[in-house]
Amino acid sequence: MNKPKIGIRVIVDGRCNGVREKIEGPTYVLARLAKALIEENIKYASGEPVECVISSVAVGGAEEAARISDEFRHENVGAILSVSRAFAYASEIMEYDTRIPQAIWGFNGSERPGAVYLAAATAVAEQKGTPVFKIYGKDVQDADDLSIPEDVREKILLFARCSVAMMSMKGHSYLSIGGTCMGIGASIADHEFFRCYLGMQVETVDMCEIIRRLQLGIYDYNEYEHALEWTRKHCEEMNDPNPLECQQSREEKDEVWKTIVKMTIIIRDLMTGNPVLKDIGFQEESLGHHAIAAGFQGQRQWTDFMPNGDFSESVLGSSFDWNGARRPYIVSTENDSLNAVTMLMGNLLTGTAQIFADVRAYWSPKALEKMDKGLSESAKDGFIYLTNSGAAALDGTMASSVQGTYGIKPFWDMDDEDIKNCLRETKWGAGKLATFRGGGFSASFLSRGGVPLTMVRLSLIKGVGPVLQVAEGTSIQLNAGLEEAVIGRTDPTWPKTFFVPRLTSKGAFKSVYDLMNQWGTNHCSLCYGHVGPQFITLASMLRIPVCTHNVEEERIFRPAAWNMTGGMDIGSDFRACGI
């Protein structure tokens, strides 16, 4: 497969006989340094290093610009970084493809004023509706200084990382398994949003397709046997929360386990296909739906008589399964297509598994004190209780070892010990039969405290379009008595995270309550790390305004056109996204 690449254009003054010749060599050196920087630090979602292509000729005029545009098209270039150490004729050599994110690194040096080209090209781009990211070092460099300053490195990598995420979505599908779930608006997948903003399409299959494959045996039998053995070994049941007289028998539970393991394999095959299916006579089914993300409706038409999808969603969303470490599959509970996109963004930006959660409740200090269990210092401002009705990636235990502490790793860094720890800290609770009449098993764990997290959500607003909410914060740990009391108020069989956003005394971040009150819907995604800038940069590339965030202004990197629409305030983002 021809992966999307980042193209690096070498920009020069086209005047020969002494001008171009003096500039071209050093500019190519900088281009090669930028290529090495990106390829050594940025990966595709597959874990492979990102590929960069440097223009075969330096661009100093219209003919060379056209030649490199054609060259980049053949190389499947989906983002462009231009490197300049001198003035050039901007309007003649600019790339005007608005579908491709572009950045220009203008060398900061008095003798080599790449910044002059940077400013001129930015003005032309904005005039013609092709916003570019300006990369300009804070400190003047000597003419013979062929290095990349640290502040320039950070911006190149942020631009590259977000460009790769954007490129990776295009041409893929969101697979809607089922339809509207319990009246949740985001389970009504908006085809035009996916097409116009993400370059994706929506594929739809009815949940009866899973029934068909279960009944006709359309799955890899050998893998199923291996997966079932692994599940029996590593997935420990917790006490059944159902009344004794209502509990399923051991034989019934064993059948549920068999069914949900098969469901997991089937949902994965629906997304990405499986060549084994062709070998057993199902050629069409072996192709899959080219889906990079999916959602499973479940409730209620499925869960009223079949095991719920909690196990499948949790295991597929994790960075490992019975085959070892592997890329997480993005599968959204309740077919919440917009949370699936949020999770997809986080995964493509960081390579880590994403945590699907209900934004369940704001616990105020007053409410916690009423429980008379003692108030933890970490909860002095209250916290948001994030949980889900049984499905979240097992990486959400935060049990992986990350640089001497705990957190979530990209799958390519996961080792056997990390996988064992995540499994060890997860128990599986039988679904409450009053709600899930067909049974099922839910992942029960409590995220470790003190872990940096970013809480994110995409919403659609009529007349406005998509908007993104971003909240950096930290998971916290409660004292044992308070923890037990809080968990007992909902469902102990569900995954749980206690989250506190970083407060700023402004807007939605005046208090923890304000964020809870202003959150756009009942679901969110948790991404490991304080990665708000990455979400904001990616959103700007997709022309999705960010309506809520607590990221410091100096960490935000958007196209230069945003400065011309009012700076960094929320309103300017809405105006600039219309460019």
Side-chain angles (χ1 to χ4, degrees), residues 230 319-326 419:
W230 179 89
S319 57
F320 59 88
D321 60 16
W322 42 84
N323 294 317
R326 51 103 176 110
I419 295 172

Side-chain angles (χ1 to χ4, degrees), residues 175-447:
L175 178 60
S176 175
I177 304 175
T180 307
C181 177
M182 299 187 298
I184 295 172
S187 64
I188 308 169
D190 190 309
H191 291 231
E192 287 302 284
F193 161 71
F194 278 91
R195 182 180 69 84
C196 296
Y197 284 87
L198 309 179
M200 295 173 60
Q201 67 180 31
V202 175
E203 292 273 294
T204 304
V205 297
D206 195 276
M207 290 183 291
C208 69
E209 174 62 11
I210 297 178
I211 295 286
R212 184 178 79 92
R213 295 192 183 207
L214 286 170
Q215 292 183 351
L216 299 183
I218 308 175
Y219 52 85
D220 183 338
Y221 306 140
N222 291 330
E223 183 181 14
Y224 161 67
E225 292 295 339
H226 172 56
L228 184 61
E229 180 182 359
W230 179 89
T231 301
R232 286 170 171 164
K233 181 178 180 180
H234 296 291
C235 299
E236 179 184 344
E237 290 183 30
M238 59 188 294
N239 290 334
D240 192 328
N242 292 287
L244 187 61
E245 65 275 12
C246 299
Q247 293 179 11
Q248 293 177 318
S249 67
R250 182 68 262 164
E251 292 75 16
E252 289 172 320
K253 289 179 180 178
D254 290 342
E255 287 302 312
V256 167
W257 278 114
K258 293 177 183 178
T259 299
I260 60 180
V261 170
K262 292 175 186 176
M263 285 171 56
T264 305
I265 295 171
I266 289 170
I267 291 172
R268 182 206 61 197
D269 291 352
L270 282 167
M271 291 179 68
T272 59
N274 187 341
V276 173
L277 302 185
K278 182 179 179 180
D279 297 337
I280 60 175
F282 296 96
Q283 181 171 349
E284 181 184 358
E285 290 84 349
S286 72
L287 300 176
H289 289 267
H290 197 51
I292 196 172
F296 178 63
Q297 176 196 332
Q299 299 186 73
R300 279 187 45 202
Q301 288 86 343
W302 180 272
T303 56
D304 275 1
F305 81 110
M306 290 291 291
N308 62 39
D310 292 354
F311 176 83
S312 300
E313 293 158 8
S314 290
V315 171
L316 288 171
S318 301
S319 57
F320 59 88
D321 60 16
W322 42 84
N323 294 317
R326 51 103 176 110
R327 176 183 172 183
Y329 293 88
I330 304 301
V331 183
S332 185
T333 300
E334 295 163 355
N335 197 24
D336 185 337
S337 62
L338 298 180
N339 218 39
V341 173
T342 311
M343 295 165 70
L344 177 62
M345 293 169 71
N347 172 252
L348 293 176
L349 288 169
T350 67
T352 58
Q354 306 296 294
I355 313 305
F356 187 110
D358 282 357
V359 186
R360 175 66 58 162
Y362 163 65
W363 277 91
S364 67
K366 183 177 180 180
L368 293 169
E369 288 170 356
K370 281 175 58 179
M371 303 181 82
D372 197 25
K373 300 293 183 179
L375 184 61
S376 303
E377 173 64 21
S378 58
K380 61 182 177 58
D381 296 317
F383 63 88
I384 298 176
Y385 185 22
L386 301 175
T387 183
N388 187 24
S389 52
L394 307 190
D395 303 70
T397 57
M398 317 294 175
S400 296
S401 176
V402 182
Q403 297 178 340
T405 183
Y406 292 100
I408 300 179
K409 286 181 175 178
F411 80 89
W412 53 78
D413 288 334
M414 291 287 285
D415 58 33
D416 290 343
E417 194 63 28
D418 294 321
I419 295 172
K420 288 177 183 177
N421 288 339
C422 291
L423 289 166
R424 188 181 300 119
E425 296 200 10
T426 304
K427 301 295 183 287
W428 295 88
K432 289 187 175 179
L433 297 175
T435 305
F436 299 118
R437 299 172 186 173
F441 285 92
S442 302
S444 176
F445 61 76
L446 176 62
S447 300

Side-chain angles (χ1 to χ4, degrees), residues 44-63:
Y44 295 112
S46 63
E48 300 168 279
V50 165
E51 296 180 33
C52 296
V53 178
I54 298 177
S55 58
S56 60
V57 297
V59 179
E63 189 281 332

Side-chain angles (χ1 to χ4, degrees), residues 28 53 74 84 125 135 166 205 257 266 287 335 373 478 511 514-515 526 544:
Y28 262 106
V53 178
H74 282 88
S84 171
I135 300 177
M166 177 180 174
V205 297
W257 278 114
I266 289 170
L287 300 176
N335 197 24
K373 300 293 183 179
L478 306 178
S511 69
D514 283 303
L515 180 64
L526 286 174
I544 296 175

